[in-house]
Amino acid sequence: MSISNVILICISLFLAAICSRLLLRQQPKEYSPQLPAGLGLQVCNNDVMHYIKETTKRLMPLIESKKINLKIKCEPESMMGWIDTELIDNTLLILLSDISKRVGIGGKVSIMIYTSPRYDRIYMRFIDNGLQMSKRSLTVLDNMVTYHHGSIKNNYFEKEGNTVVIEMPIKKDAYRTEEQKGMQPTEFNIPNNIELHVPTIELPDSYEEGYESIRDIMHTAPRHAEQEYLQRAIKCVNEHISDTEYDRQAFASDMGSSISTLYNKIRAITGKSLTNFTRDIRIEAACQLAKENPDWRVSDIAYQVGFKDPKYFATSFKRVMGTQPKEYFAEIREEAEALSERNKAFSIWDKPEPKKS
């Protein structure tokens, strides 16, 4: 074989390799961030505040197309600390990708970065007025943040939006020697073809199988007559919500029917027995009371919604809501505190921008 033929074959193979790479790049890919395969955590010393702020700016195209108003504030403006820049990049990417899908045109996003009083931990607080954050995004974020020895908390306020708080250590001694490196971060590149997902709301596994809230049943009752009947039944129970002696006979009498007729009618419309129907109304009333009175004890609320025994109330509550009332009410108190913080956070929108000298 001549030298010219060998050269021709080499050139052909080279061009074929280039064409293959180009074709692969054109294939649509779903962005699914992964933790570094086979690699441990790699933290390095950076100006944490500056890095997060600059990375957020690079990700702005993700939300600019939706005309979302985003403001970011760092306190202090500069702070050296140890972080894994790749994980920070992916964390910000996932959050802003999720926000760009959930927040409508003209929506608001507030990002606040601040440190602990000892300057050994960093907090990233993301507040938006969009739909509920997707469970998929939250799960991936939780894995990443935990990998960085941090934690994440998420609160969703109906018709208000989300508050996500990420906490991470930034002191060198928080990481093992093998997790530390001295390299400076490389340039961050946004992956192509990012696929965003509509957020979903999923019930905990511990929910009663087939449970459906009374409110949802009201909206889905097939005929107007059935909706009216169901509305009357709900009203009867609510009018006696704190009456522990309100039984089937009294309920049927208020509805102007026999117990068997009432049972069959409620069962046909809701799929629930009379016992579960009244129980669910009482539990939903308990949830509302807890939101209105976050400082009340579990026993106080149990008595207010017609339960004689707080222990039986706790059992019934978990069967319906999937969690113990003590835990649920504690979350409500946290949400109330977070809502207060949220209102303070959005107050930065009312402050004029500082004039540039």
Side-chain angles (χ1 to χ4, degrees):
M1 183 180 292
S2 65
I3 296 178
S4 60
N5 287 337
V6 173
I7 294 174
L8 183 60
I9 291 173
C10 291
I11 292 174
S12 299
L13 292 173
F14 178 72
L15 292 174
I18 292 176
C19 291
S20 298
R21 289 184 180 180
L22 290 175
L23 287 173
L24 286 172
R25 288 181 180 179
Q26 290 175 357
Q27 298 299 318
K29 296 179 181 178
E30 177 181 344
Y31 174 66
S32 181
Q34 303 288 333
L35 294 178
L39 294 176
L41 188 68
Q42 291 288 285
V43 296
C44 57
N45 198 17
N46 285 271
D47 186 328
V48 178
M49 299 299 190
H50 178 77
Y51 187 83
I52 293 174
K53 196 168 186 177
E54 289 303 307
T55 303
T56 301
K57 288 180 179 178
R58 295 191 188 104
L59 291 168
M60 286 299 291
L62 286 173
I63 60 176
E64 283 180 344
S65 60
K66 298 289 291 290
K67 298 181 180 178
I68 298 171
N69 300 308
L70 184 149
K71 287 192 176 182
I72 180 170
K73 184 178 182 181
C74 296
E75 292 183 350
E77 287 290 332
S78 178
M79 171 61 62
M80 296 301 294
W82 289 75
I83 56 173
D84 185 313
T85 55
E86 184 177 352
L87 282 179
I88 292 293
D89 291 343
N90 281 314
T91 298
L92 292 170
L93 175 58
I94 296 167
L95 272 167
L96 293 179
S97 296
D98 191 81
I99 286 171
S100 70
K101 189 66 179 180
R102 295 183 290 96
V103 179
I105 294 176
K108 293 180 179 180
V109 180
S110 172
I111 303 176
M112 291 185 294
I113 317 297
Y114 53 98
T115 63
S116 62
R118 294 184 178 181
Y119 304 104
D120 58 347
R121 305 187 73 82
I122 189 172
Y123 297 88
M124 295 185 282
R125 186 186 295 271
F126 297 78
I127 299 176
D128 65 67
N129 58 355
L131 300 174
Q132 187 171 15
M133 186 177 184
S134 73
K135 188 174 181 180
R136 176 179 178 273
S137 295
L138 191 57
T139 299
V140 176
L141 283 169
D142 183 64
N143 289 335
M144 287 189 170
V145 173
T146 301
Y147 192 66
H148 206 297
H149 303 309
S151 62
I152 182 171
K153 293 183 68 175
N154 169 245
N155 283 316
Y156 172 67
F157 305 93
E158 190 173 357
K159 297 181 180 180
E160 293 286 340
N162 298 264
T163 297
V164 178
V165 180
I166 294 174
E167 178 187 2
M168 290 181 177
I170 58 172
K171 283 293 185 182
K172 184 177 181 179
D173 57 12
Y175 302 99
R176 299 187 301 272
T177 304
E178 60 270 23
E179 294 176 333
Q180 302 169 14
K181 67 175 182 178
M183 309 169 51
Q184 291 303 313
T186 56
E187 185 70 17
F188 177 75
N189 294 311
I190 302 172
N192 295 323
N193 303 317
I194 299 170
E195 182 174 330
L196 304 177
H197 296 267
V198 177
T200 58
I201 302 174
E202 299 183 14
L203 299 176
D205 294 335
S206 53
Y207 266 70
E208 182 178 281
E209 185 176 357
Y211 173 74
E212 187 175 6
S213 72
I214 301 298
R215 184 180 302 174
D216 291 339
I217 293 173
M218 268 296 300
H219 291 305
T220 56
R223 292 190 297 274
H224 176 71
E226 291 184 347
Q227 288 182 342
E228 185 177 335
Y229 187 88
L230 193 57
Q231 193 170 14
R232 284 177 52 215
I234 295 170
K235 183 179 179 182
C236 282
V237 177
N238 280 325
E239 287 177 346
H240 301 85
I241 199 70
S242 61
D243 186 358
T244 59
E245 304 300 326
Y246 192 67
D247 57 12
R248 294 183 177 190
Q249 183 62 56
F251 189 9
S253 177
D254 288 342
M255 291 295 291
S257 64
S258 65
I259 294 177
S260 60
T261 299
L262 177 63
Y263 178 91
N264 291 334
K265 191 73 172 177
I266 294 296
R267 188 77 175 185
I269 298 174
T270 68
K272 300 175 185 287
S273 65
L274 279 180
T275 300
N276 287 351
F277 177 75
T278 55
R279 175 204 65 187
D280 292 352
I281 293 175
R282 293 181 189 279
I283 294 300
E284 290 179 14
C287 293
Q288 186 60 39
L289 272 177
K291 290 177 181 179
E292 295 172 356
N293 307 276
D295 294 330
W296 282 16
R297 297 177 301 178
V298 171
S299 57
D300 295 333
I301 293 178
Y303 297 136
Q304 286 291 325
V305 296
F307 283 86
K308 296 179 181 179
D309 183 4
K311 291 184 178 179
Y312 179 63
F313 168 73
T315 301
S316 300
F317 191 96
K318 184 173 183 180
R319 185 166 295 174
V320 173
M321 302 303 296
T323 184
Q324 289 289 348
K326 186 177 181 179
E327 297 171 357
Y328 183 89
F329 298 159
E331 289 180 2
I332 288 178
R333 282 191 289 271
E334 288 181 4
E335 287 181 1
E337 293 172 359
L339 184 58
S340 175
E341 290 294 325
R342 176 188 172 78
N343 292 334
K344 292 179 182 177
F346 270 121
S347 67
I348 67 174
W349 291 90
D350 300 326
K351 296 179 181 179
E353 293 285 349
K355 294 182 180 179
K356 296 181 179 180
S357 57

